[in-house]
Amino acid sequence: MSAGPPLPQLTPPLRAPEFTPTPTLTPVPTLLEVLRGLDAGPRGLTEGQAEERLGRFGENRVPDTRDPSWARLLARSARDPFTAVLLCLGLVSAAVYAWGTASVILLLVAVSCVLRASGEHRADRSTAGLRRLVATTVTVQRRADEDTAPATREIPVEELVPGDVVRLGPGDLVPADVRLLRSTGLTVHQAALTGESAPVPKSAGESDPTGTGPTGTGPTGTGPARTDPAGTDPAGTDTAGTGAFQQPHLCFQGTSVASGSATAVVTATGADTRFAAAHRRTGKPPATSFERSVQGVSWILIRFALLTPPLVLMANAALRGRGLETLPFAVAVAVGLTPEMLPVLVTTCLARGATLLARTHDVIVRRLPALHDIGAMDVLCVDKTGTLTQDRPVVDRAVNAEGRDDPEVLRWAAAAAWWSLQLADLPAPDALDEALLTTADEYALMAYDGVTALPFDPARRLATVVVRTPGRLGTHTLITKGAAEAVMERCSLPDAERAQLRALAAAQAADGLRVLAVATAERPAGTRPHERGLTFRGLVTLRDDLVPTAAEALAGLAERGVTVKVLTGDHPGTAVRTCRDLGIPVAGVLTADRLDTLTDPELTELASRTTVFARCTPEHKTRVTRALQTGGHTVGFLGDGVNDLPALRTADVGLAPRDAAGVTRDNADLVLAGKDLTAIGHAVAAGRHAGGNIASYLRITLSSNLGNVIAMLSAGLLLPFLPMLPAQVLVQNLCFDAAQLAFAYDRPAPSALRRPTVLEPRALLRFIVGFGALNAVADLATFGVLAFALRGPGDDEALFHSGWFTENLLTQAVVMVLLSLGARGTSGRRPGPVTWSAATLAATGLFLPMSALGAPLGLSPLPGVYYGLLAAVLTLYAAGLMTARARQERRSPSLA
């Protein structure tokens, strides 16, 4: 076959330009049309054709993700709102030659940016590439030239091209998107793309024109049989494998062969595969809960900070006749309103929490703000399989035709599983057979001697073995197990009894159990196995094996105010059964077909009252996640497959286990050592610890800063001189900023860990305004003391500056201690970092004016009578502060 003209563009279902696993009614090409479109044949390409196509299509590589450079991380850090405002104020100070103010402000900007960039850089280094899910070599069938017979050989997967014919066997990773030419007992793991825990049967038959997979009913007549490799799924579960992924003749890169063998033609490689298309769709995620909250408060404060200098200039010009000489003071006041240490403190809090999680619980925080988001999380969306249940079933009961427990039924089923494994030369038992063998008595299995076996066939939904009947020479026993409906069709049963058995199987399936029917028949030795006229023995029911730590972890999350929502592709009965076994209250169940009929507002209202979302596709998971966010929830999403990417990126915080699909892991905010909800509980605690410290810092710092600014502006308009020199304002800010770093190391009260830590801008602003006004009253009371009680001849200005400098630091120390402790006081609690830092701040305020450093700053020693009056002011201020705090905690417990 000649190289021919350029290959025509394949149709969308084959080339998969986009990751759209949704049902479609568009007819897909037949095998002949596929081969013609590829200009290929079942004998494979020639070496010349393969070389030409490799140059045209490029190597079969998955797109790599690159960590951002240091320059990019620094630029990203500089985009923080407060950092940008500080940068502007620093440049203004430099423009008017206020070098001291400018130097300190710019130093704060540099430290903030470096700290944030280094934290994100350390987190980025912990991620791995995408290549774990991609094969390294592949068995390909090629010819030396047109007249040479095809030969098979191993080649690097990067050299694979469209039109190549490849061979697949058990354990092989599918190296590209392929169309099956021939197959024998093929089942494929598609979990990386669809989240399906069970292998999916594949065959080389013609495509289903509706795009919905093979027809036929499940074991109880309730769903498609193709979703359960043993044909025993009680409810015909459809685990989100829709559209092209349900096509039995298509396999995709990133999946792996569970059993069987196949020959297939490559239809797409490299960036054209569906695996790569899913990677391309992972664009910039939306703003998270933490980012939205901080930005909401930030921009309000930024407006005040930017308006302060011109207002101060205009007021002083109008009332005091001062000009640009007051600009350094105006800039210093604006800096005093800005929480310039916020980026540093936030990064320190989050980095400490992330380091602790990585060291003690093997949880890697890839994006530092996500640690706060998981602390604010009040809804966690999880899949069922692998998170609440393990990827294997366990035997629940074995019942006879009357519905009574009968161990003989389990013995027959286990014997069939044992000899299927031994005689059919299977690499390993499937999950259901393994559950039967684990439960059965191995000595009872040895009583049989196997003769032949017919392994499970997805079309028949049965498996049959023939064993020698113990004690009866010349007689064989045929044992058939499989889907309940398929087995009953082969049994000699009266109509009434058949209907009764169907009802029994349906009742078990409705209870969330998988149902396996067992029948036997005696046949003369040497006759061909004939699966007709069987005697019905009974049913074996299986349930999902629960994760051992799941129940305890779920109880811990509930105590912390986190509601778990189950978003699964499984049947609703199966999901409800799992929730019941784990003690999860099921408030409501919503299936995909019902979800499709709801408008966005209706879904938003219903999602908060629903626990289980069943038969979900990736689009359904994303829509539910978005609806929960619209309803005011902070949502976390735990996923491990490519199908989880859209919802994981939509959620406020995305979580993935370390063995998740590479592209999913790379886009997660937190990477867990495994699918263990216990680790999530530890992450929630760490996030609330960090979030509580950040919230305390914001409440205390902003209220204190606002009070100081109000008092400073008022005094500036009343006094004939500036109430404080710019250098004094700057030193005061530096002292307070240094003391505030202690919040990063504080220990929040245990009550702070029992509820989400959410920064609500309106509630925070009410707190800031209320306590800021109280702080301003204390400052103005001190102004009265200084103005009328301590007037010294010729020394009014220096005395005023020193007195107010001391009072400001002391009131800020009082605020730090009392507001961080709140109404719980110091009972049963040792002094922490905040208390010691506040004590240091107070000592600085008392001793700096009288030290040798005071004179260069324009400060002078204060008379003894001032300290007595100041103590009275501080006592009244502390009493008012505690009263207001107790009232605030009664009205808004979230601010406690």
Side-chain angles (χ1 to χ4, degrees):
M1 186 180 297
S2 61
L7 299 183
Q9 179 67 36
L10 298 179
T11 55
L14 291 174
R15 293 303 296 270
E18 295 183 358
F19 180 67
T20 54
T22 55
T24 174
L25 296 179
T26 304
V28 296
T30 66
L31 176 57
L32 182 59
E33 291 172 337
V34 171
L35 293 176
R36 285 178 177 174
L38 292 167
D39 191 17
R43 301 177 67 209
L45 301 176
T46 66
E47 295 294 348
Q49 288 176 318
E51 184 177 354
E52 185 271 333
R53 296 185 186 195
L54 184 62
R56 189 178 349 149
F57 290 99
E59 291 187 339
N60 179 33
R61 293 181 181 273
V62 176
D64 287 324
T65 56
R66 296 182 178 179
D67 293 336
S69 63
W70 264 101
R72 191 169 183 178
L73 288 174
L74 288 171
R76 185 189 303 169
S77 302
R79 292 201 303 265
D80 177 83
F82 289 130
T83 303
V85 169
L86 284 176
L87 188 60
C88 292
L89 293 175
L91 295 176
V92 170
S93 300
V96 296
Y97 304 107
W99 299 115
T101 303
S103 299
V104 174
I105 293 175
L106 295 178
L107 178 62
L108 287 174
V109 170
V111 170
S112 172
C113 291
V114 170
L115 283 176
R116 295 187 65 186
S118 61
E120 293 189 15
H121 178 67
R122 285 194 303 269
D124 285 338
R125 287 189 304 177
S126 65
T127 62
L130 297 176
R131 299 185 181 275
R132 278 189 188 177
L133 289 176
V134 181
T136 56
T137 63
V138 60
T139 302
V140 67
Q141 179 177 297
R142 286 182 180 172
R143 297 169 292 155
D145 52 49
E146 291 288 347
D147 300 326
T148 305
T152 59
R153 63 186 181 92
E154 292 283 325
I155 66 170
V157 71
E158 291 83 2
E159 297 179 9
L160 206 61
V161 296
D164 262 328
V165 174
V166 297
R167 293 187 177 181
L168 303 172
D172 285 348
L173 295 172
V174 179
D177 290 356
V178 300
R179 207 288 190 193
L180 297 178
L181 300 176
R182 295 180 299 277
S183 63
T184 302
L186 183 66
T187 61
V188 175
H189 283 294
Q190 294 190 152
L193 296 175
T194 67
E196 295 173 278
S197 60
V200 177
K202 296 287 185 177
S203 63
E206 287 300 322
S207 62
D208 175 15
T210 64
T212 58
T215 58
T217 59
T220 60
T222 56
R226 77 113 190 126
T227 55
D228 184 13
T232 58
D233 193 338
T237 56
D238 182 5
T239 52
T242 58
F245 296 115
Q246 275 194 333
Q247 294 288 343
H249 57 283
L250 299 178
C251 296
F252 302 94
Q253 185 182 59
T255 63
S256 62
V257 177
S259 63
S261 59
T263 302
V265 60
V266 175
T267 59
T269 59
D272 291 327
T273 63
R274 288 181 179 265
F275 189 78
H279 181 267
R280 287 197 300 270
R281 287 173 65 96
T282 58
K284 181 181 179 181
T288 64
S289 170
F290 177 71
E291 293 166 342
R292 292 193 300 268
S293 299
V294 170
Q295 288 173 3
V297 177
S298 298
W299 286 111
I300 294 175
L301 296 173
I302 285 169
R303 293 186 184 99
F304 280 113
L306 294 178
L307 287 175
T308 297
L311 288 177
V312 172
L313 289 174
M314 289 187 293
N316 277 275
L319 298 178
R320 293 295 178 182
R322 301 171 185 149
L324 287 177
E325 66 272 13
T326 60
L327 181 58
F329 172 74
V331 170
V333 171
V335 172
L337 181 63
T338 305
E340 57 267 26
M341 293 302 291
L342 177 62
V344 177
L345 185 130
V346 166
T347 301
T348 304
C349 284
L350 299 180
R352 289 187 71 247
T355 301
L356 182 65
L357 277 177
R359 186 173 63 248
T360 60
H361 302 295
D362 290 331
V363 176
I364 298 172
V365 181
R366 297 192 63 251
R367 186 180 59 83
L368 286 181
L371 187 62
H372 175 274
D373 293 334
I374 200 170
M377 179 182 69
D378 62 339
V379 172
L380 175 64
C381 297
V382 301
D383 194 2
K384 178 183 69 67
T385 305
T387 303
L388 305 179
T389 62
Q390 302 188 69
D391 292 337
R392 64 174 184 266
V394 294
V395 173
D396 183 67
R397 294 178 65 194
V399 298
N400 56 24
E402 289 75 32
R404 293 191 296 269
D405 290 335
D406 188 348
E408 189 73 8
V409 177
L410 178 60
R411 185 171 62 84
W412 285 116
W418 172 257
W419 287 110
S420 290
L421 177 65
Q422 301 302 319
L423 298 175
D425 197 24
L426 300 176
D430 65 29
L432 298 182
D433 282 351
E434 188 172 11
L436 295 173
L437 295 174
T438 301
T439 308
D441 183 355
E442 62 182 23
Y443 295 103
L445 297 179
M446 296 300 105
Y448 299 98
D449 187 10
V451 177
T452 187
L454 300 175
F456 174 77
D457 184 351
R460 298 185 310 122
R461 294 176 291 143
L462 294 172
T464 297
V465 301
V466 178
V467 299
R468 291 183 177 88
T469 306
R472 299 187 60 183
L473 188 63
T475 302
H476 290 173
T477 300
L478 182 147
I479 310 173
T480 298
K481 66 176 177 63
E485 184 66 27
V487 171
M488 282 187 276
E489 287 177 357
R490 291 161 172 80
C491 294
S492 299
L493 294 168
D495 291 341
E497 186 177 355
R498 189 185 302 274
Q500 182 180 358
L501 290 174
R502 284 176 174 171
L504 176 62
Q508 299 294 326
D511 197 31
L513 299 171
R514 296 188 180 191
V515 182
L516 184 70
V518 183
T520 64
E522 291 189 354
R523 300 281 190 263
T527 59
R528 182 174 178 271
H530 181 60
E531 298 167 335
R532 293 293 175 185
L534 306 180
T535 300
F536 188 84
R537 291 291 183 176
L539 302 173
V540 178
T541 59
L542 303 100
R543 57 177 172 80
D544 291 324
D545 191 14
L546 303 178
V547 173
T549 60
E552 180 182 356
L554 289 170
L557 289 173
E559 290 178 358
R560 291 187 170 101
V562 178
T563 302
V564 174
K565 307 281 187 183
V566 180
L567 278 62
T568 178
D570 283 348
H571 185 271
T574 306
V576 170
R577 171 67 183 242
T578 299
C579 291
R580 186 170 70 245
D581 291 344
L582 290 172
I584 303 175
V586 180
V589 180
L590 189 63
T591 56
D593 53 354
R594 166 67 174 143
L595 192 150
D596 288 334
T597 65
L598 299 175
T599 63
D600 288 342
E602 290 172 339
L603 180 59
T604 298
E605 193 275 332
L606 192 58
S608 297
R609 299 186 283 107
T610 302
T611 303
V612 174
F613 299 84
R615 297 195 182 278
C616 287
T617 65
E619 287 73 21
H620 291 134
K621 294 180 181 181
T622 303
R623 193 175 173 215
V624 169
T625 301
R626 190 175 293 114
L628 290 168
Q629 290 174 317
T630 304
H633 297 284
T634 301
V635 182
F637 188 94
L638 174 62
D640 64 345
V642 176
N643 65 311
D644 294 321
L645 267 177
L648 185 138
R649 302 274 298 175
T650 301
D652 293 290
V653 56
L655 304 101
R658 191 167 296 173
D659 58 355
V663 66
T664 305
R665 186 174 61 251
D666 284 349
N667 284 277
D669 299 315
L670 275 76
V671 178
L672 313 177
K675 273 190 175 180
D676 187 359
L677 295 178
T678 303
I680 298 179
H682 294 308
V684 169
R688 292 184 180 176
H689 190 134
N693 288 341
I694 293 171
S696 295
Y697 163 80
L698 283 173
R699 290 195 296 266
I700 294 171
T701 299
L702 295 179
S703 60
S704 180
N705 287 357
L706 181 62
N708 287 339
V709 168
I710 293 173
M712 197 83 68
L713 295 177
S714 301
L717 298 177
L718 295 174
L719 292 173
F721 50 82
L722 293 177
M724 197 175 291
L725 298 178
Q728 296 167 351
V729 175
L730 182 61
V731 171
Q732 175 187 280
N733 286 340
L734 283 175
C735 293
F736 194 29
D737 289 342
Q740 289 166 342
L741 288 176
F743 284 107
Y745 304 90
D746 195 22
R747 302 186 306 274
S751 60
L753 304 180
R754 291 198 291 267
R755 55 178 175 266
T757 53
V758 181
L759 290 174
E760 300 178 1
R762 292 186 178 180
L764 182 60
L765 286 175
R766 285 195 298 269
F767 187 100
I768 293 169
V769 171
F771 285 89
L774 187 61
N775 183 271
V777 170
D779 285 346
L780 291 175
T782 305
F783 168 75
V785 170
L786 292 169
F788 300 104
L790 298 176
R791 296 177 64 89
D795 201 25
D796 291 351
E797 186 172 342
L799 187 65
F800 189 93
H801 291 164
S802 301
W804 209 350
F805 180 90
T806 298
E807 185 270 345
N808 274 339
L809 292 187
L810 290 177
T811 55
Q812 287 173 340
V814 170
V815 169
M816 286 179 62
V817 173
L818 296 185
L819 291 191
S820 64
L821 294 176
R824 65 183 182 272
T826 59
S827 177
R829 177 172 168 141
R830 287 183 173 184
V834 171
T835 302
W836 291 114
S837 181
T840 303
L841 182 66
T844 301
L846 289 171
F847 295 108
L848 186 60
M850 64 184 68
S851 70
L853 297 176
L857 293 175
L859 301 175
S860 61
L862 293 162
V865 66
Y866 168 74
Y867 295 105
L869 295 173
L870 179 59
V873 172
L874 291 177
T875 300
L876 293 175
Y877 175 55
L881 196 64
M882 291 303 297
T883 301
R885 176 64 172 177
R887 181 182 177 187
Q888 179 71 37
E889 290 180 356
R890 289 194 299 269
R891 294 177 55 186
S892 302
S894 63
L895 295 177

